Amino acid sequence: SQTIHQWPATLVQPVGSPLSLECTVEGTSNPNLYWYRQAAGRGLQLLFYSVGIGQISSEVPQNLSASRPQDRQFILSSKKLLLSDSGFYLCAWRRGEAYEQYFGPGTRLTVT
Amino acid sequence: DAKTTQPNSMESNEEEPVHLPCNHSTISGTDYIHWYRQLPSQGPEYVIHGLTSNVNNRMASLAIAEDRKSSTLILHRATLRDAAVYYCILRRGNSGAGSYQLTFGKGTKLSVIP
C-alpha cells in the first residue's frame, strides 16, 4: 500500500530564517506531487506541483521554492521566511490520471 | 475555474443521514465534481467524485442535479468520526496530465451531535 510522509510535524522558525520541509511517498512510482498551504481559517492553496524528477510548476509567486531530487521526494524551501509564511503545509500525491489525491499529515509552521 | 458555494456550517445528530449541499451554477460540461473532507489537524481525504450520474461508494453517495448546477453529498448515518470540514470542488476534466488542480474553498464544517 502507498504511504505519504511529511516532516517535521510542527516547526517554529524566526522571521528571516531558512526553511526545508520534506515529503516522501512509498509504494508507488512516478507519482504526481503537490504542495499546498492552508493559512489559519482559510482553504487550501496550491503552491507547487511536479510531474517528474526536476519538473516543478509554481502556482503562486512567492518566496518559496520546491524541488524534486528523487522520484518520490518533494521538498519545499525558503531562503528567508516571512510572517505570512505561517500555516499548515500539506504534501499530496496522485497516481497518473487517477481521480483521487492523497494528502500527507501536514507540517504546521509558525513564523515568529 | 468555476466556483462552488457551500454553507459555512451544518449540524447533524449521530446516526442520522446528512445532506451537504453544493451549488456550482457556472459548471462546464467537462468539470468533475469532487468531494474531500478534512478532519481537525489532518490533511484532506478524498470522499467521492462524479460527472453526471449519481455515485455511491463505501463512504458516501453523491447526488448530482440533472442540470449539474448543484450536487449533494449524502452521509447515510453520521458518526462522530464524520465531524469534519467538507469541500466541494470542481476539477476541469481536460486539465492535462500532471496539473489536476484542486481549488479548495472554505467548505462546510459539519458538527455531529451525540
Side-chain angles (χ1 to χ4, degrees):
Chain A
S1 65
Q2 298 82 23
T3 312
I4 180 168
H5 302 279
Q6 283 188 249
W7 63 88
T10 60
L11 192 59
V12 180
Q13 292 281 100
V15 167
S17 64
L19 173 74
S20 181
L21 302 180
E22 188 163 344
C23 169
T24 59
V25 181
E26 295 178 357
T28 189
S29 60
N30 197 31
N32 296 317
L33 296 171
Y34 306 82
W35 277 112
Y36 290 84
R37 177 173 60 199
Q38 187 171 35
R42 304 184 70 174
L44 276 74
Q45 178 187 36
L46 178 63
L47 302 175
F48 301 95
Y49 67 89
S50 171
V51 301
I53 296 174
Q55 301 178 62
I56 308 294
S57 296
S58 173
E59 291 301 307
V60 182
Q62 58 212 319
N63 69 320
L64 299 172
S65 62
S67 62
R68 184 169 177 175
Q70 300 181 43
D71 181 44
R72 291 169 291 173
Q73 184 185 31
F74 206 20
I75 297 172
L76 183 70
S77 304
S78 174
K79 292 182 180 177
K80 285 187 178 182
L81 283 169
L82 307 172
L83 285 174
S84 57
D85 291 324
S86 293
F88 191 40
Y89 286 82
L90 289 153
C91 180
W93 74 276
R94 180 173 75 101
R95 182 192 302 115
E97 293 299 315
Y99 292 105
E100 308 95 277
Q101 218 171 84
Y102 298 96
F103 287 80
T107 295
R108 191 162 300 280
L109 171 67
T110 304
V111 182
T112 60
Chain B
D1 285 340
K3 238 183 129 174
T4 62
T5 304
Q6 298 177 254
N8 290 332
S9 62
M10 290 183 65
E11 273 188 358
S12 173
N13 292 320
E14 195 177 9
E15 299 191 4
E16 289 188 357
V18 183
H19 290 234
L20 296 162
C22 180
N23 287 321
H24 27 79
S25 58
T26 60
I27 191 170
S28 75
T30 57
D31 285 341
Y32 286 82
I33 302 159
H34 286 246
W35 284 82
Y36 281 74
R37 71 180 185 181
Q38 187 175 19
L39 279 66
S41 298
Q42 294 188 28
E45 174 187 31
Y46 167 84
V47 178
I48 201 166
H49 78 277
L51 184 61
T52 56
S53 304
N54 294 345
V55 184
N56 299 298
N57 67 18
R58 63 174 181 82
M59 289 182 71
S61 296
L62 176 60
I64 301 173
E66 198 168 328
D67 63 4
R68 300 210 326 127
K69 293 187 177 181
S70 65
S71 60
T72 302
L73 179 71
I74 303 165
L75 307 179
H76 296 287
R77 282 182 74 214
T79 69
L80 296 178
R81 288 176 293 178
D82 291 322
V85 177
Y86 286 78
Y87 298 98
C88 170
I89 301 162
L90 299 183
R91 181 184 73 83
R92 190 59 48 89
N94 60 350
S95 58
S99 65
Y100 189 92
Q101 295 182 31
L102 295 179
T103 302
F104 287 77
K106 292 191 177 179
T108 297
K109 184 174 182 179
L110 175 66
S111 301
V112 180
I113 303 166

